Amino acid sequence: MRTTKWMVTAALLASLGAAAQQEANSNSSAPVRDASQAAQASQPAASAPAQAAPAAAQPVNAPQAATAQPPAAAVPTTMDDVVNLFIQHEHGLIKMLANRTPIVETYLQNLSFDPQLGPVPAEDHYFLGRMDMGENVDRKDYLRDEEKSMQQRLMGGFQKLYKVQYQPLGFSWMVYADRTDFDRNHYDFKYVRREFVGDVRCLVFDVTPKKDAGRGRFLGRIWVEDQGFNIVRLNGTYYPAPRNSYFFHMDSWRLNLIPGYWVPSFIYSEEGDFSAGAKNKLAFKAQTRIWGYDLKKGGKDNELTQIRVDSVTDETPANQDASPLQAERVWQQQAEDNVVDRLVNGGLLAPEGDVDRILQTVVNNLEVTNNIDLPRPVRARVLLTSPLETFSVGNTIVISRGLIDVLPDEASLAAVLSHELAHIVLGHNLGSKYAFNDRMLFNDDTTYQNLGFRHIPEEEEAADKKAIEFLKNSPYAQKLDSVGLFLKALQQRAPALNALLTTHLGNPLAANGTVTRLAALATQGPALDNAKVDQIAALPLGGRVKVNPWDDKAEMVKTAPVAMTSARDKMPFEVTPFFPRLARYGTTTAPAASPNTAAASNNPAASNN
Ligand SMILES: [Zn+2]
């Protein structure tokens, strides 16, 4: 049965008590607020339409969905009616998504216990793939070789105590409660209460499999929104587990990204018991993110029509051939556009958006103060994945979502961007081979084999040197202490975060557990003090950039700062649970707090310097 494929096998049954965790957004102070304000101020006309854009754009993407639209008119009068409706809508969702192959990313941290900091990452694992939501939910990995070796390493390391095998698919299993048998014959549904989740009023039900319903049935709680009666959150596990095995606990969230449907978006998994005397030492936290629902299936035929070849003649003055230098620049731009388009089409790069403008404002601050005048403007884009990486192709700087998340402030963001700006200024362009369009014709899941932007050590060194020069002339010159602190925090965690520090397209920030990027700044600033609650050297993952799983658009998260009460609240580079603020499709929600005023008074990193 499929259940055996999805399960985690352990020779010892782990005890399943969940360790108490901090809220996901507790550390999220507003990022790069200067840049964000600058971006908004400089584009007052553009920012309002940009916010409305997702709503306007989505119906265009939704016609396929509309064919399977669940009936909206039914108004239930009893709880039995409600149960019938959400069962019906769950099957409607499964059918609507059956031809989708979204990207699914799982980042997992195995935990050990630190008396001061609590559970801390001891080692980590990363999985990235496309998930086929069809008849047999399946997951095809981008990282086949690396994944295999990671699993082998894990098995080797754990063999003495017990054998653990993480199946990437296991983490994405809870996209549905039960793909085949979610009905009254297999489950009992017990109404618990009403509850608001974000802006959405929900009915809460406990779900238990009936006796003899078979192995691997959903056991837990579901939240059902009270207008369309769709499941918006599932929390629990699967039961009963086969002998010598067990299922993860999962907390699965859906977002109302298209009319009538709540689409699986985030899944948090956690196991571990650090109470005194607990026998089982297996403990981990994992975040699974799903996006790219609206991507075309990655076949070669499709891509032939998707590739945009920019017209070379548009770029040169009329009636005149390009000079050799002009031709070289146009060629590089063609390569850059090819790569950017290909990464967007493959679901790895966010379409152009608000976050890019914030990044570009920071780059602009560096350029202006260093009198950098390039023939073409530098652009910045967001890689949608978690591993900490940056790279540049032509005049485009790419920075990963995970890296933006963990940076404590705008100065640190400027520091990582300045390294790539230095490559551009120094002419370290690696991408020009991608001006040949045949090099863009590959399947999405081989992106990492077909694209790469790694520099030789000499160029890395030169870029770091130039970057520090830029920073010292920039508005960030007085704030480099926080960059130093960030690098120290990264160094402290680097040996345990090999997967997070394994880059897939650009040069790594660290090699063999030692941070190499901008190493000259690592001595800057005060000593790292884990106990000091107001010293925020790095943030947890997931607190800054929010990605729309349907259209891949990225935006900055607006969260109210939460006061930290202990060193355990800091959780640098760590995985935390998801608590997205749910809202109905088409409603613009007010942020939890005004980001500008909150950030100004409470940004701990700012007060630190
Ligand atoms: Zn570099």
Side-chain angles (χ1 to χ4, degrees):
M1 265 299 285
R2 65 195 160 86
T3 49
T4 55
K5 197 168 82 181
W6 282 340
M7 141 186 106
V8 170
T9 324
L12 290 179
L13 275 171
S15 63
L16 305 181
Q21 290 299 325
Q22 304 297 328
E23 281 187 37
N25 55 2
S26 63
N27 275 351
S28 315
S29 53
V32 293
R33 63 182 192 282
D34 296 337
S36 135
Q37 282 167 347
Q40 280 165 10
S42 68
Q43 312 219 3
S47 76
Q51 295 202 333
Q58 276 158 0
V60 180
N61 299 333
Q64 279 170 287
T67 58
Q69 188 110 0
V75 178
T77 50
T78 66
M79 277 305 161
D80 262 4
D81 292 346
V82 170
V83 172
N84 290 338
L85 272 174
F86 71 67
I87 287 176
Q88 184 192 336
H89 293 168
E90 185 72 358
H91 291 288
L93 177 75
I94 291 169
K95 201 171 150 203
M96 190 275 287
L97 292 179
N99 63 347
R100 302 282 166 176
T101 55
I103 289 187
V104 54
E105 177 196 65
T106 298
Y107 177 61
L108 176 150
Q109 293 179 335
N110 276 315
L111 306 173
S112 61
F113 195 79
D114 178 282
Q116 182 192 21
L117 299 175
V120 293
E123 60 157 3
D124 62 347
H125 300 275
Y126 182 69
F127 308 100
L128 182 73
R130 289 291 277 268
M131 181 161 56
D132 188 340
M133 308 280 284
E135 198 60 42
N136 303 301
V137 173
D138 198 10
R139 188 167 165 162
K140 196 175 177 189
D141 270 85
Y142 279 48
L143 312 168
R144 254 160 277 157
D145 295 342
E146 295 170 50
E147 181 214 325
K148 203 186 276 172
S149 66
M150 273 195 287
Q151 281 190 0
Q152 279 162 356
R153 221 169 36 232
L154 181 71
M155 304 270 285
F158 276 61
Q159 209 118 35
K160 275 180 203 145
L161 274 175
Y162 38 64
K163 241 166 143 181
V164 182
Q165 200 176 353
Y166 294 117
Q167 302 279 7
L169 189 61
F171 295 99
S172 33
W173 194 8
M174 213 190 261
V175 291
Y176 304 124
D178 187 325
R179 209 189 171 290
T180 52
D181 298 311
F182 190 64
D183 55 36
R184 287 175 178 279
N185 293 331
H186 293 81
Y187 290 97
D188 289 318
F189 300 93
K190 185 169 165 272
Y191 171 72
V192 181
R193 62 167 181 265
R194 282 173 202 275
E195 191 178 298
F196 267 97
V197 184
D199 299 337
V200 176
R201 195 170 58 182
C202 292
L203 305 168
V204 184
F205 291 85
D206 280 339
V207 181
T208 46
K210 284 191 188 294
K211 233 186 199 173
D212 306 321
R215 288 194 192 287
R217 297 297 181 190
F218 177 70
L219 172 69
R221 180 165 284 195
I222 57 173
W223 284 252
V224 177
E225 48 90 16
D226 75 347
Q227 286 182 16
F229 301 97
N230 294 287
I231 298 175
V232 302
R233 182 186 180 192
L234 306 113
N235 175 298
T237 187
Y238 294 90
Y239 175 88
R243 256 168 64 88
N244 294 339
S245 308
Y246 78 98
F247 294 106
F248 298 141
H249 282 82
M250 284 185 248
D251 190 26
S252 176
W253 293 83
R254 296 175 178 179
L255 300 178
N256 195 187
L257 303 172
I258 52 171
Y261 293 97
W262 289 74
V263 181
S265 302
F266 309 107
I267 302 167
Y268 175 69
S269 321
E270 178 188 295
E271 299 295 344
D273 180 0
F274 292 106
S275 57
K279 285 198 186 85
N280 197 321
K281 300 296 178 214
L282 173 69
F284 71 82
K285 296 190 284 186
Q287 288 183 337
T288 296
R289 291 178 161 83
I290 305 164
W291 72 85
Y293 278 103
D294 206 29
L295 289 175
K296 309 291 173 287
K297 292 209 178 186
K300 285 194 175 184
D301 295 344
N302 270 337
E303 271 125 33
L304 274 175
T305 55
Q306 282 167 31
I307 288 166
R308 177 168 59 90
V309 181
D310 287 327
S311 165
V312 172
T313 48
D314 285 348
E315 305 286 334
T316 53
N319 304 323
Q320 210 178 311
D321 287 337
S323 73
L325 180 57
Q326 278 171 326
E328 176 68 21
R329 284 184 179 151
V330 174
W331 184 250
Q332 284 174 1
Q333 179 166 9
Q334 187 175 315
E336 175 183 339
D337 290 343
N338 277 351
V339 169
V340 167
D341 285 353
R342 188 63 190 79
L343 286 172
V344 171
N345 289 341
L348 291 175
L349 202 67
E352 268 181 278
D354 293 350
V355 181
D356 303 345
R357 282 194 280 277
I358 293 169
L359 301 174
Q360 276 159 209
T361 304
V362 175
V363 172
N364 198 49
N365 287 344
L366 291 164
E367 288 182 294
V368 169
T369 46
N370 283 281
N371 300 314
I372 296 168
D373 192 13
L374 295 163
R376 286 193 293 124
V378 173
R379 301 182 288 185
R381 300 293 289 266
V382 181
L383 195 69
L384 292 165
T385 47
S386 290
L388 313 185
E389 72 175 301
T390 62
F391 65 91
S392 48
V393 52
N395 273 30
T396 296
I397 294 174
V398 178
I399 176 169
S400 66
R401 174 185 52 73
L403 182 52
I404 300 174
D405 275 347
V406 299
L407 292 169
D409 58 9
E410 188 174 332
S412 313
L413 178 60
V416 295
L417 293 172
S418 70
H419 174 91
E420 297 302 337
L421 179 64
H423 279 309
I424 293 171
V425 169
L426 294 169
H428 297 168
N429 187 12
L430 290 175
S432 54
K433 67 178 176 181
Y434 302 116
F436 288 108
N437 288 295
D438 59 290
R439 294 203 164 107
M440 297 296 107
L441 301 179
F442 50 79
N443 289 321
D444 288 343
D445 56 349
T446 61
T447 302
Y448 291 156
Q449 282 90 60
N450 282 281
L451 296 181
F453 308 93
R454 289 186 180 86
H455 294 274
I456 56 171
E458 289 82 355
E459 288 186 348
E460 283 300 284
E461 214 173 288
D464 268 352
K465 208 172 149 216
K466 195 81 184 163
I468 290 167
E469 207 180 294
F470 290 161
L471 289 166
K472 293 200 165 151
N473 290 330
S474 78
Y476 309 107
Q478 303 310 312
K479 296 172 184 159
L480 297 182
D481 281 4
S482 70
V483 182
L485 264 179
F486 172 76
L487 293 169
K488 285 172 206 164
L490 186 60
Q491 181 55 62
Q492 187 180 56
R493 289 287 168 94
L497 301 178
N498 186 48
L500 193 65
L501 286 165
T502 298
T503 55
H504 301 282
L505 294 167
N507 286 88
L509 305 186
N512 303 320
T514 303
V515 176
T516 49
R517 181 69 53 91
L518 296 170
L521 289 179
T523 49
Q524 189 106 16
L528 190 66
D529 184 351
N530 291 329
K532 203 165 171 242
V533 174
D534 65 352
Q535 187 190 71
I536 306 301
L539 303 184
L541 288 162
R544 287 216 194 281
V545 180
K546 189 166 81 177
V547 175
N548 179 317
W550 195 263
D551 61 18
D552 293 358
K553 285 191 178 146
E555 60 177 311
M556 285 297 187
V557 179
K558 297 181 177 76
T559 48
V562 177
M564 295 196 191
T565 55
S566 80
R568 293 187 185 189
D569 284 348
K570 297 208 268 187
M571 302 185 288
F573 308 105
E574 289 181 28
V575 162
T576 63
F578 292 111
F579 271 92
R581 185 170 181 86
L582 297 189
R584 295 185 186 279
Y585 177 79
T587 59
T588 43
T589 55
S594 165
N596 294 333
T597 51
S601 56
N602 283 311
N603 185 338
S607 63
N608 201 26
N609 292 316

